[in-house]
Amino acid sequence: MNTTHDTMQISTEKFEATGGQRSEHQAPATEVTLALTGMSCASCAARIERNLKKVPGVEGAAVNLATERGVVIYQPQQVDVAALIGAVEKAGYGAREFVPEPVAENGTEADVDTLQRRKDLRRKQIILLVGIALTLPLMVMMIFFMRPVTMGGLTTLMPLYAWEPYVLLAMSLTVWSVVGWTFHRSAINALRHGTVNMDVLVSMGSTVAIASSVAATFVPALQGNMYYDTPAMIVTLIFLGKYLEARAKGRASEAIKKLLGLQPRIAHMLRGGQIIDLPVDQITVGDTLLVRPGERVPLDGRVLEGTSAADESMLTGESLPVEKKPGDTLLGATVNTTGLLHMRVEKIGSETMLAQIVRLVEQAQGSKAPVQRLADQISSIFVPAVLAIAALSFIGWYLVTSVWGTPANALTIGLLVATAVLVVACPCAMGLATPVALMVGSGRGAELGILIKNGESLQRISQVNTLVLDKTGTITRGKPEVTDLLLADASGAPDDLLRLAALAEQGSEHPLGQAIVQAARERGLDLSALVTNTQAIPGKGLQASVAGKPVLIGTQALLHAHGITNDTLGPQIAELEAQGKTVTLVASESKLIGAVAVADTIKPTSAQAINQLQRLGLEVWMLTGDNQRTAQAMARQVGIAPERVLAQVLPADKAQQVERLQKSGKVVAMVGDGINDAPALTQADAGIAMGTGTDIAIEAADIALVKGNLESVATAILLSKRMMRMIKQNLAWAFGYNIVLIPLVILSPLLAVLTIYAPVLAAAAMAFSSVTVVLNALRLRRFGR
């Protein structure tokens, strides 16, 4: 799937999130996704964003540390992708245009980035094992083969044997150079480009530690300053954190891999009575495919022949199989469970439901929530500030210690504190707090049929306190159905009444007539009788001749005009109309036969879902074009309070009704599925589109629901609240960690023993911080289970 697409609504949202401004007459912008390398912390992401935004023609840029991708919106007449890549490289990082291409590996499909990630993870694993294999014996030697000596008030460790310092030097130097090369290389690259990042802190901290130990080995006066375990443990612990973080981030992106792996690669095409197996990418719209029981549906289409049930849980989250018959829609990647189906292909490639879901999940994972902007701003100045704090800590403790200790010990204390400050103050956790939660949460949402478009949408949805539901297609099924059959003569049969009405309505294009015909067909009634002289009577009904007998179908006024009275069904008809149903009278040979009630029926899950939404503390309103009586009847059935019914609202006025609620101080989410709902979805603080609706409505919304029921709305709101809570927890942890630990390591010389181990403890805490943020976000994978 090409991530460079021209979906302007999506582009505009991302563009606005980055604070850009667009001229009214400017040409439409283009969007490109870049795969980035070399980032180590949030300050790296912020630096790349700044460099990209400085390029003439760039309207906005958003860089995601967790996914290692950047989305750039630019004017192609002013700048090209090569120039964007050059801007990233000028900042000291690597970049290329992200275009996933399938690569076969062990019979499965994987894109280049996935394979590269696996390769990098294996490489990291080998390097980590080398670090552990050398660091553990080095620690044993430092614990059991050193003797404590107190010099100038500071307890230090001296080697027991003359050969020992050289062995420790060889082991520590190997770990520092081999395991730490990743940090040193990134640090050198950053400094060469005049910038600083997390790797600069780690590299400087470990280098200072090993340099002081090497000096103590070859300068007799400094022998008490030997801490070979410190640089080895700093590098190994932080590398361990990076390895665990990479593994966890791989798990966070599993949702997209699962989705991409759902589509079958081979389709059985029917051509000239023959079955031909072809790759899915060679199938075109209009082709006829055969889908056997147990196989996945290759592409989106419609059933031509056969009946079956489709397991759509992988796309909609719906656990029960959905019955399929001729005319029903089939979604690619779903499983045909029982019967043999012939289908006509209607959507291929990027137009399929699966492709759109993957695109929206990728889009959400690459976005930012507004709550992250504070973290980005802090991260952009954090590393230079830490360098300054480390330098001041060194100078301060050197001067203080020189008064009551020896110069050598003053140097040691200053170096240990400065090293600990450099190592502990990594802003990694801040950069990962939001994107990892978005990665995991949006992936889990996709599995449940909930598509969150971006971080800004997520934050808006979580703040909603009022929900406006469009009635047709949201609360109701969106199409009329026969609900009641009333007989004027108790000796008659309901099926005879329905059959007579359906025969007369067969040629009608009116939705009510079509609903009557559909109900008769579902009951298996014979509709082969001869029907002639069909004549529609505008606003009243129709008349026809069925098997030679005159039949009238329509309003009471139509029957009265033909001298037919309704003395028996009046009270029952009034009761049905009070429930919001449309009643059609049926007469034959100048005699009333009965009445057929038709209504847009409520979805089975609507009442329960609305009750659940109200328990969440949301005000639930219903918006409809129906008259007040019909609207109130519908609201009573689903548990919506009468004062929260907005009736007789014209399609053009829906957005105004939403705006009126907003002006009263409510944070409003609009739920709809039609073209005429799009303005209201856009006007609302948050828009939720039912996936059974139109593409325009889905495009205008912040969240799209693959399933067409209100239970998904409740699930979506719960998921968004859980994701925002997770993001805030992560940010609180990341900020709190630095606020507490930086002062702690600066004051560590007040506890002489702690000073020696401060850099090692700082390395462990830093690694623990990043891993904790990722593991906390991974808890979202259990949502709804």
Side-chain angles (χ1 to χ4, degrees):
M1 184 187 312
N2 193 341
T3 58
T4 306
H5 51 81
D6 57 355
T7 307
M8 291 313 300
Q9 174 69 25
I10 296 172
S11 298
T12 301
E13 287 173 355
K14 289 185 179 177
F15 164 63
E16 290 171 350
T18 56
Q21 293 183 347
R22 180 177 297 169
S23 166
E24 187 176 339
H25 303 291
Q26 203 165 355
T30 298
E31 178 183 303
V32 66
T33 300
L34 301 178
L36 306 170
T37 57
M39 291 191 298
S40 60
C41 62
S43 61
C44 297
R47 189 169 300 109
I48 293 174
E49 278 188 12
R50 286 198 302 273
N51 271 44
L52 285 169
K53 289 176 182 178
K54 290 177 184 177
V55 177
V58 171
E59 296 185 353
V63 174
N64 189 305
L65 175 64
T67 59
E68 296 182 322
R69 291 178 196 166
V71 177
V72 186
I73 300 168
Y74 66 98
Q75 287 291 332
Q77 298 88 350
Q78 300 179 45
V79 65
D80 58 14
V81 175
L84 300 178
I85 292 173
V88 176
E89 292 174 344
K90 187 177 180 181
Y93 304 91
R96 64 174 176 81
E97 184 175 357
F98 176 72
V99 181
E101 48 182 297
V103 177
E105 183 185 340
N106 300 328
T108 62
E109 292 288 325
D111 61 48
V112 171
D113 288 84
T114 301
L115 296 177
Q116 185 62 45
R117 195 178 299 115
R118 293 175 189 168
K119 184 179 178 181
D120 288 344
L121 200 60
R122 286 193 292 267
R123 182 182 59 81
K124 282 188 172 82
Q125 189 176 41
I126 294 170
I127 294 174
L128 178 62
L129 291 174
V130 171
I132 293 173
L134 291 173
T135 301
L136 288 178
L138 193 152
M139 290 174 59
V140 170
M141 290 182 67
M142 291 294 293
I143 293 171
F144 296 105
F145 294 88
M146 302 288 281
R147 54 190 174 88
V149 176
T150 302
M151 301 172 61
L154 178 67
T155 301
T156 59
L157 299 173
M158 297 286 286
L160 291 175
Y161 307 102
W163 53 265
E164 192 176 340
Y166 305 103
V167 174
L168 293 172
L169 169 60
M171 296 171 70
S172 184
L173 193 61
T174 302
V175 176
W176 175 84
S177 58
V178 175
V179 182
W181 175 242
T182 299
F183 307 116
H184 305 321
R185 180 181 57 194
S186 175
I188 293 168
N189 191 43
L191 292 172
R192 190 171 70 244
H193 288 85
T195 62
V196 286
N197 59 15
M198 183 275 289
D199 291 331
V200 172
L201 303 183
V202 175
S203 180
M204 287 183 66
S206 60
T207 301
V208 167
I210 199 166
S212 63
S213 298
V214 171
T217 301
F218 296 101
V219 180
L222 299 176
Q223 281 188 356
N225 303 316
M226 203 175 294
Y227 305 104
Y228 279 117
D229 55 339
T230 298
M233 289 186 66
I234 287 174
V235 168
T236 302
L237 281 171
I238 294 177
F239 197 89
L240 172 62
K242 286 290 181 186
Y243 172 74
L244 294 175
E245 181 186 307
R247 284 194 61 180
K249 281 160 65 177
R251 289 169 59 195
S253 61
E254 281 179 3
I256 285 185
K257 296 177 193 172
K258 287 180 181 176
L259 288 170
L260 288 172
L262 290 176
Q263 187 177 45
R265 290 185 292 170
I266 300 297
H268 313 305
M269 188 173 75
L270 289 171
R271 181 183 292 170
Q274 301 293 318
I275 300 175
I276 306 170
D277 288 349
L278 290 175
V280 169
D281 57 8
Q282 293 183 21
I283 302 299
T284 60
V285 173
D287 286 344
T288 301
L289 305 181
L290 180 74
V291 187
R292 300 186 179 102
E295 291 183 341
R296 290 192 182 275
V297 178
L299 296 160
D300 293 5
R302 202 167 293 276
V303 178
L304 293 176
E305 295 180 25
T307 57
S308 183
D311 179 358
E312 299 180 347
S313 59
M314 62 290 301
L315 295 185
T316 67
E318 181 63 61
S319 57
L320 296 176
V322 180
E323 297 296 325
K324 298 294 179 181
K325 59 185 182 300
D328 288 345
T329 299
L330 286 174
L331 297 177
T334 58
V335 178
N336 176 29
T337 58
T338 55
L340 183 69
L341 295 176
H342 290 187
M343 66 172 288
R344 182 179 65 252
V345 176
E346 294 184 340
K347 292 182 180 179
I348 61 172
S350 61
E351 298 301 316
T352 64
M353 175 69 76
L354 176 64
Q356 292 179 50
I357 289 174
V358 171
R359 187 187 74 212
L360 287 173
V361 174
E362 285 180 335
Q363 175 186 313
Q365 293 186 346
S367 67
K368 291 185 179 182
V371 72
Q372 190 187 355
R373 291 171 189 165
L374 175 63
D376 288 347
Q377 291 169 358
I378 292 175
S379 297
S380 64
I381 60 172
F382 195 77
V383 176
V386 168
L387 289 172
I389 292 171
L392 291 173
S393 300
F394 171 77
I395 295 169
W397 278 111
Y398 180 82
L399 294 175
V400 170
T401 312
S402 295
V403 176
W404 51 267
T406 64
N409 288 337
L411 178 65
T412 299
I413 291 175
L415 287 174
L416 287 171
V417 172
T419 300
V421 170
L422 289 171
V423 173
V424 80
C426 167
C428 252
M430 277 187 274
L432 292 170
T434 299
V436 174
L438 272 173
M439 284 175 69
V440 181
S442 58
R444 179 58 186 148
E447 293 174 356
L448 296 172
I450 299 164
L451 307 177
I452 300 170
K453 288 193 174 179
N454 53 45
E456 195 164 358
S457 300
L458 167 72
Q459 190 161 331
R460 286 201 298 265
I461 290 289
S462 69
Q463 296 165 347
V464 163
N465 56 32
T466 302
L467 203 64
V468 177
L469 306 178
D470 180 63
K471 189 207 76 171
T472 305
T474 302
I475 295 175
T476 66
R477 297 181 186 273
K479 61 178 183 179
E481 296 180 349
V482 172
T483 59
D484 302 89
L485 297 171
L486 304 178
L487 294 170
D489 184 350
S491 63
D495 280 359
D496 291 340
L497 168 65
L498 180 60
R499 177 176 176 273
L500 182 63
L503 283 167
E505 294 278 12
Q506 277 192 102
S508 171
E509 295 181 356
H510 194 282
L512 297 182
Q514 291 178 350
I516 292 171
V517 174
Q518 181 63 29
R521 286 174 177 166
E522 289 176 356
R523 294 196 184 196
L525 303 181
D526 181 15
L527 301 180
S528 61
L530 179 64
V531 180
T532 58
N533 301 323
T534 301
Q535 182 181 353
I537 304 170
K540 294 183 179 181
L542 62 80
Q543 61 184 14
S545 176
V546 177
K549 297 178 181 180
V551 174
L552 282 174
I553 297 181
T555 64
Q556 293 193 51
L558 174 65
L559 270 64
H560 286 160
H562 287 76
I564 303 172
T565 59
N566 174 24
D567 299 327
T568 56
L569 299 180
Q572 293 170 274
I573 290 174
E575 183 180 348
L576 291 175
E577 288 179 339
Q579 296 173 15
K581 299 177 181 179
T582 301
V583 180
T584 300
L585 299 177
V586 181
S588 179
E589 296 181 298
S590 301
K591 178 183 177 184
L592 179 66
I593 304 298
V596 180
V598 177
D600 181 8
T601 57
I602 297 171
K603 294 177 182 177
T605 57
S606 290
Q608 182 179 346
I610 289 170
N611 181 43
Q612 185 180 359
L613 289 165
Q614 291 170 336
R615 289 202 308 270
L616 291 174
L618 297 169
E619 282 188 17
V620 181
W621 293 66
M622 185 179 80
L623 186 151
T624 177
D626 291 344
N627 62 58
Q628 192 67 36
R629 186 178 72 166
T630 302
Q632 294 285 2
M634 184 71 69
R636 282 195 300 272
Q637 294 180 59
V638 295
I640 295 177
E643 65 272 15
R644 292 179 182 166
V645 175
L646 303 172
Q648 293 177 293
V649 179
L650 297 174
D653 296 336
K654 289 184 178 182
Q656 293 178 9
Q657 293 292 333
V658 171
E659 185 179 12
R660 185 176 64 81
L661 291 173
Q662 289 173 317
K663 286 180 177 177
S664 68
K666 303 180 189 299
V667 183
V668 181
M670 170 72 188
V671 185
D673 74 333
I675 291 175
N676 55 31
D677 295 327
L681 290 169
T682 304
Q683 172 63 43
D685 297 286
I688 303 176
M690 308 297 277
T692 51
T694 65
D695 291 341
I696 294 175
I698 293 171
E699 196 61 51
D702 296 292
I703 287 183
L705 306 177
V706 179
K707 284 192 288 187
N709 63 55
L710 284 176
E711 287 182 325
S712 294
V713 176
T715 306
I717 291 174
L718 276 173
L719 176 61
S720 66
K721 289 181 181 294
R722 185 77 57 84
M723 288 171 70
M724 281 306 302
R725 185 163 69 243
M726 197 71 72
I727 288 171
K728 291 175 181 177
Q729 287 174 0
N730 283 349
L731 286 172
W733 166 260
F735 284 122
Y737 159 85
N738 284 291
I739 289 170
V740 172
L741 290 185
I742 290 178
L744 185 63
V745 297
I746 291 174
L747 298 175
S748 62
L750 298 177
L751 298 172
V753 176
L754 179 61
T755 305
I756 299 174
Y757 299 106
V760 173
L761 295 174
M766 193 279 280
F768 177 72
S769 173
S770 297
V771 174
T772 299
V773 165
V774 178
L775 292 178
N776 187 42
L778 284 173
R779 292 193 296 130
L780 283 168
R781 298 174 70 196
R782 298 197 298 270
F783 176 84
R785 296 188 190 277

Short mmCIF file of all heavy atoms in Angstrom, two decimals, residues 343-382:
data_model
loop_
_atom_site.label_atom_id
_atom_site.label_comp_id
_atom_site.label_asym_id
_atom_site.label_seq_id
_atom_site.Cartn_x
_atom_site.Cartn_y
_atom_site.Cartn_z
N MET A 343 -18.77 -15.10 -6.21
CA MET A 343 -18.83 -13.68 -5.90
C MET A 343 -18.33 -12.84 -7.07
O MET A 343 -17.52 -13.31 -7.88
CB MET A 343 -18.00 -13.36 -4.65
CG MET A 343 -16.51 -13.57 -4.83
SD MET A 343 -15.51 -12.97 -3.42
CE MET A 343 -15.66 -11.19 -3.63
N ARG A 344 -18.83 -11.60 -7.16
CA ARG A 344 -18.33 -10.64 -8.13
C ARG A 344 -17.46 -9.63 -7.40
O ARG A 344 -17.87 -9.06 -6.39
CB ARG A 344 -19.48 -9.92 -8.84
CG ARG A 344 -18.99 -8.94 -9.92
CD ARG A 344 -20.14 -8.24 -10.65
NE ARG A 344 -20.91 -7.38 -9.76
CZ ARG A 344 -22.15 -7.65 -9.34
NH1 ARG A 344 -22.74 -8.77 -9.72
NH2 ARG A 344 -22.78 -6.83 -8.54
N VAL A 345 -16.26 -9.40 -7.91
CA VAL A 345 -15.32 -8.47 -7.28
C VAL A 345 -15.75 -7.03 -7.54
O VAL A 345 -16.04 -6.65 -8.67
CB VAL A 345 -13.89 -8.69 -7.82
CG1 VAL A 345 -12.92 -7.67 -7.23
CG2 VAL A 345 -13.43 -10.10 -7.51
N GLU A 346 -15.81 -6.22 -6.47
CA GLU A 346 -16.21 -4.82 -6.59
C GLU A 346 -15.11 -3.84 -6.18
O GLU A 346 -15.10 -2.70 -6.62
CB GLU A 346 -17.47 -4.55 -5.75
CG GLU A 346 -18.70 -5.30 -6.26
CD GLU A 346 -19.95 -4.94 -5.49
OE1 GLU A 346 -19.82 -4.43 -4.35
OE2 GLU A 346 -21.06 -5.19 -6.00
N LYS A 347 -14.18 -4.30 -5.34
CA LYS A 347 -13.08 -3.42 -4.91
C LYS A 347 -11.79 -4.21 -4.87
O LYS A 347 -11.77 -5.37 -4.43
CB LYS A 347 -13.37 -2.82 -3.52
CG LYS A 347 -14.53 -1.83 -3.51
CD LYS A 347 -14.72 -1.24 -2.12
CE LYS A 347 -15.88 -0.25 -2.10
NZ LYS A 347 -16.10 0.33 -0.75
N ILE A 348 -10.72 -3.58 -5.32
CA ILE A 348 -9.40 -4.22 -5.34
C ILE A 348 -8.37 -3.26 -4.77
O ILE A 348 -8.62 -2.06 -4.62
CB ILE A 348 -8.99 -4.65 -6.77
CG1 ILE A 348 -8.90 -3.42 -7.68
CG2 ILE A 348 -9.96 -5.68 -7.34
CD1 ILE A 348 -8.32 -3.73 -9.05
N GLY A 349 -7.19 -3.80 -4.47
CA GLY A 349 -6.06 -2.98 -4.06
C GLY A 349 -6.35 -2.10 -2.86
O GLY A 349 -6.91 -2.54 -1.85
N SER A 350 -6.01 -0.82 -2.96
CA SER A 350 -6.14 0.11 -1.85
C SER A 350 -7.58 0.48 -1.54
O SER A 350 -7.85 1.15 -0.54
CB SER A 350 -5.34 1.38 -2.15
OG SER A 350 -5.85 2.02 -3.30
N GLU A 351 -8.54 0.04 -2.39
CA GLU A 351 -9.94 0.38 -2.16
C GLU A 351 -10.65 -0.61 -1.24
O GLU A 351 -11.76 -0.36 -0.80
CB GLU A 351 -10.69 0.43 -3.51
CG GLU A 351 -10.17 1.50 -4.47
CD GLU A 351 -10.24 2.89 -3.86
OE1 GLU A 351 -11.29 3.21 -3.26
OE2 GLU A 351 -9.26 3.64 -3.96
N THR A 352 -10.03 -1.76 -0.97
CA THR A 352 -10.69 -2.77 -0.14
C THR A 352 -10.78 -2.29 1.30
O THR A 352 -10.02 -1.43 1.75
CB THR A 352 -9.93 -4.11 -0.19
OG1 THR A 352 -8.64 -3.93 0.40
CG2 THR A 352 -9.79 -4.61 -1.61
N MET A 353 -11.71 -2.88 2.02
CA MET A 353 -11.88 -2.54 3.43
C MET A 353 -10.61 -2.82 4.22
O MET A 353 -10.18 -2.01 5.06
CB MET A 353 -13.05 -3.34 4.02
CG MET A 353 -13.24 -3.15 5.50
SD MET A 353 -13.82 -1.49 5.94
CE MET A 353 -15.54 -1.62 5.46
N LEU A 354 -9.96 -3.96 3.96
CA LEU A 354 -8.72 -4.30 4.67
C LEU A 354 -7.65 -3.25 4.42
O LEU A 354 -6.97 -2.81 5.36
CB LEU A 354 -8.22 -5.68 4.22
CG LEU A 354 -6.88 -6.13 4.81
CD1 LEU A 354 -6.99 -6.28 6.32
CD2 LEU A 354 -6.42 -7.44 4.17
N ALA A 355 -7.48 -2.85 3.17
CA ALA A 355 -6.46 -1.85 2.83
C ALA A 355 -6.74 -0.53 3.52
O ALA A 355 -5.83 0.14 4.01
CB ALA A 355 -6.39 -1.66 1.32
N GLN A 356 -8.01 -0.14 3.58
CA GLN A 356 -8.36 1.12 4.23
C GLN A 356 -8.12 1.06 5.73
O GLN A 356 -7.67 2.03 6.34
CB GLN A 356 -9.82 1.46 3.94
CG GLN A 356 -10.09 1.81 2.48
CD GLN A 356 -11.55 2.11 2.22
OE1 GLN A 356 -12.16 2.90 2.92
NE2 GLN A 356 -12.12 1.48 1.21
N ILE A 357 -8.40 -0.10 6.32
CA ILE A 357 -8.15 -0.26 7.76
C ILE A 357 -6.65 -0.14 8.04
O ILE A 357 -6.23 0.57 8.96
CB ILE A 357 -8.69 -1.62 8.25
CG1 ILE A 357 -10.23 -1.60 8.25
CG2 ILE A 357 -8.16 -1.95 9.64
CD1 ILE A 357 -10.86 -2.93 8.58
N VAL A 358 -5.84 -0.83 7.26
CA VAL A 358 -4.39 -0.77 7.45
C VAL A 358 -3.89 0.67 7.29
O VAL A 358 -3.06 1.15 8.08
CB VAL A 358 -3.67 -1.71 6.46
CG1 VAL A 358 -2.16 -1.49 6.52
CG2 VAL A 358 -3.99 -3.16 6.78
N ARG A 359 -4.41 1.37 6.28
CA ARG A 359 -3.98 2.75 6.04
C ARG A 359 -4.33 3.64 7.23
O ARG A 359 -3.50 4.45 7.69
CB ARG A 359 -4.64 3.30 4.78
CG ARG A 359 -4.10 4.68 4.37
CD ARG A 359 -4.91 5.26 3.22
NE ARG A 359 -6.20 5.74 3.69
CZ ARG A 359 -7.31 5.74 2.96
NH1 ARG A 359 -7.30 5.25 1.74
NH2 ARG A 359 -8.44 6.18 3.45
N LEU A 360 -5.53 3.49 7.77
CA LEU A 360 -5.94 4.32 8.90
C LEU A 360 -5.14 3.99 10.15
O LEU A 360 -4.79 4.88 10.93
CB LEU A 360 -7.44 4.15 9.16
CG LEU A 360 -8.37 4.82 8.15
CD1 LEU A 360 -9.82 4.44 8.41
CD2 LEU A 360 -8.21 6.33 8.18
N VAL A 361 -4.84 2.71 10.37
CA VAL A 361 -4.04 2.33 11.55
C VAL A 361 -2.63 2.89 11.42
O VAL A 361 -2.06 3.43 12.38
CB VAL A 361 -4.01 0.79 11.72
CG1 VAL A 361 -3.06 0.40 12.85
CG2 VAL A 361 -5.40 0.26 12.02
N GLU A 362 -2.04 2.78 10.23
CA GLU A 362 -0.70 3.35 10.02
C GLU A 362 -0.72 4.86 10.25
O GLU A 362 0.19 5.43 10.84
CB GLU A 362 -0.23 3.05 8.59
CG GLU A 362 0.22 1.62 8.38
CD GLU A 362 0.69 1.37 6.96
OE1 GLU A 362 0.25 2.11 6.04
OE2 GLU A 362 1.51 0.46 6.75
N GLN A 363 -1.77 5.49 9.77
CA GLN A 363 -1.90 6.94 9.92
C GLN A 363 -1.99 7.31 11.40
O GLN A 363 -1.35 8.26 11.86
CB GLN A 363 -3.16 7.39 9.20
CG GLN A 363 -3.51 8.86 9.36
CD GLN A 363 -4.84 9.15 8.71
OE1 GLN A 363 -5.08 8.74 7.58
NE2 GLN A 363 -5.71 9.84 9.42
N ALA A 364 -2.78 6.56 12.17
CA ALA A 364 -2.92 6.84 13.60
C ALA A 364 -1.60 6.62 14.33
O ALA A 364 -1.20 7.41 15.19
CB ALA A 364 -4.01 5.96 14.20
N GLN A 365 -0.90 5.54 13.97
CA GLN A 365 0.35 5.23 14.65
C GLN A 365 1.44 6.25 14.35
O GLN A 365 2.37 6.42 15.13
CB GLN A 365 0.82 3.82 14.27
CG GLN A 365 -0.11 2.74 14.79
CD GLN A 365 0.41 1.34 14.54
OE1 GLN A 365 1.34 1.14 13.76
NE2 GLN A 365 -0.16 0.36 15.20
N GLY A 366 1.33 6.93 13.23
CA GLY A 366 2.34 7.93 12.87
C GLY A 366 2.00 9.33 13.33
O GLY A 366 2.74 10.27 13.06
N SER A 367 0.88 9.49 14.05
CA SER A 367 0.42 10.83 14.44
C SER A 367 0.81 11.14 15.88
O SER A 367 1.37 10.31 16.58
CB SER A 367 -1.09 10.92 14.27
OG SER A 367 -1.73 10.07 15.21
N LYS A 368 0.48 12.36 16.30
CA LYS A 368 0.76 12.79 17.66
C LYS A 368 -0.52 13.32 18.29
O LYS A 368 -1.35 13.92 17.62
CB LYS A 368 1.81 13.91 17.68
CG LYS A 368 3.20 13.47 17.30
CD LYS A 368 4.17 14.62 17.46
CE LYS A 368 5.58 14.19 17.09
NZ LYS A 368 6.55 15.28 17.29
N ALA A 369 -0.64 13.11 19.60
CA ALA A 369 -1.72 13.74 20.35
C ALA A 369 -1.23 15.10 20.83
O ALA A 369 -0.05 15.27 21.11
CB ALA A 369 -2.12 12.87 21.54
N PRO A 370 -2.14 16.09 20.94
CA PRO A 370 -1.71 17.41 21.42
C PRO A 370 -1.01 17.35 22.77
O PRO A 370 -0.12 18.17 23.04
CB PRO A 370 -3.04 18.17 21.52
CG PRO A 370 -3.91 17.54 20.49
CD PRO A 370 -3.54 16.07 20.50
N VAL A 371 -1.37 16.37 23.61
CA VAL A 371 -0.75 16.26 24.93
C VAL A 371 0.76 15.99 24.83
O VAL A 371 1.51 16.26 25.76
CB VAL A 371 -1.46 15.15 25.74
CG1 VAL A 371 -1.11 13.77 25.21
CG2 VAL A 371 -1.09 15.25 27.22
N GLN A 372 1.20 15.49 23.68
CA GLN A 372 2.63 15.17 23.53
C GLN A 372 3.46 16.42 23.21
O GLN A 372 4.68 16.40 23.35
CB GLN A 372 2.82 14.14 22.41
CG GLN A 372 4.24 13.59 22.35
CD GLN A 372 4.47 12.70 21.15
OE1 GLN A 372 3.55 12.41 20.41
NE2 GLN A 372 5.69 12.26 20.96
N ARG A 373 2.81 17.49 22.81
CA ARG A 373 3.58 18.66 22.37
C ARG A 373 4.44 19.24 23.48
O ARG A 373 5.55 19.71 23.25
CB ARG A 373 2.64 19.72 21.80
CG ARG A 373 2.02 19.27 20.47
CD ARG A 373 0.93 20.20 20.00
NE ARG A 373 0.23 19.60 18.85
CZ ARG A 373 -0.93 20.02 18.39
NH1 ARG A 373 -1.54 21.03 18.95
NH2 ARG A 373 -1.50 19.41 17.36
N LEU A 374 3.92 19.19 24.72
CA LEU A 374 4.71 19.68 25.86
C LEU A 374 5.98 18.84 26.02
O LEU A 374 7.07 19.38 26.23
CB LEU A 374 3.87 19.63 27.13
CG LEU A 374 4.61 20.00 28.43
CD1 LEU A 374 5.10 21.44 28.36
CD2 LEU A 374 3.71 19.79 29.65
N ALA A 375 5.82 17.50 25.89
CA ALA A 375 6.99 16.62 26.00
C ALA A 375 7.98 16.92 24.89
O ALA A 375 9.21 16.92 25.12
CB ALA A 375 6.54 15.16 25.94
N ASP A 376 7.50 17.18 23.69
CA ASP A 376 8.41 17.49 22.57
C ASP A 376 9.17 18.79 22.82
O ASP A 376 10.36 18.89 22.54
CB ASP A 376 7.61 17.60 21.27
CG ASP A 376 7.12 16.25 20.78
OD1 ASP A 376 7.60 15.23 21.31
OD2 ASP A 376 6.25 16.21 19.89
N GLN A 377 8.47 19.79 23.34
CA GLN A 377 9.12 21.07 23.60
C GLN A 377 10.21 20.93 24.66
O GLN A 377 11.31 21.49 24.53
CB GLN A 377 8.07 22.10 24.04
CG GLN A 377 7.11 22.51 22.94
CD GLN A 377 5.94 23.32 23.46
OE1 GLN A 377 5.82 23.56 24.65
NE2 GLN A 377 5.05 23.72 22.56
N ILE A 378 9.89 20.16 25.71
CA ILE A 378 10.88 19.96 26.77
C ILE A 378 12.07 19.16 26.25
O ILE A 378 13.23 19.48 26.52
CB ILE A 378 10.23 19.25 27.97
CG1 ILE A 378 9.21 20.18 28.63
CG2 ILE A 378 11.29 18.81 28.99
CD1 ILE A 378 8.42 19.56 29.75
N SER A 379 11.79 18.12 25.46
CA SER A 379 12.86 17.26 24.95
C SER A 379 13.83 18.04 24.06
O SER A 379 15.02 17.75 24.01
CB SER A 379 12.26 16.09 24.17
OG SER A 379 11.49 15.27 25.01
N SER A 380 13.31 19.02 23.32
CA SER A 380 14.16 19.75 22.38
C SER A 380 15.24 20.55 23.08
O SER A 380 16.29 20.83 22.50
CB SER A 380 13.30 20.68 21.52
OG SER A 380 12.69 21.67 22.33
N ILE A 381 15.00 20.92 24.35
CA ILE A 381 16.02 21.68 25.09
C ILE A 381 16.62 20.86 26.23
O ILE A 381 17.49 21.33 26.96
CB ILE A 381 15.41 22.97 25.68
CG1 ILE A 381 14.27 22.64 26.64
CG2 ILE A 381 14.93 23.90 24.57
CD1 ILE A 381 13.74 23.85 27.39
N PHE A 382 16.18 19.61 26.36
CA PHE A 382 16.54 18.81 27.52
C PHE A 382 18.02 18.41 27.51
O PHE A 382 18.71 18.55 28.52
CB PHE A 382 15.65 17.56 27.57
CG PHE A 382 15.69 16.85 28.90
CD1 PHE A 382 14.99 17.36 29.97
CD2 PHE A 382 16.43 15.70 29.07
CE1 PHE A 382 15.01 16.73 31.19
CE2 PHE A 382 16.46 15.06 30.28
CZ PHE A 382 15.74 15.57 31.36
#
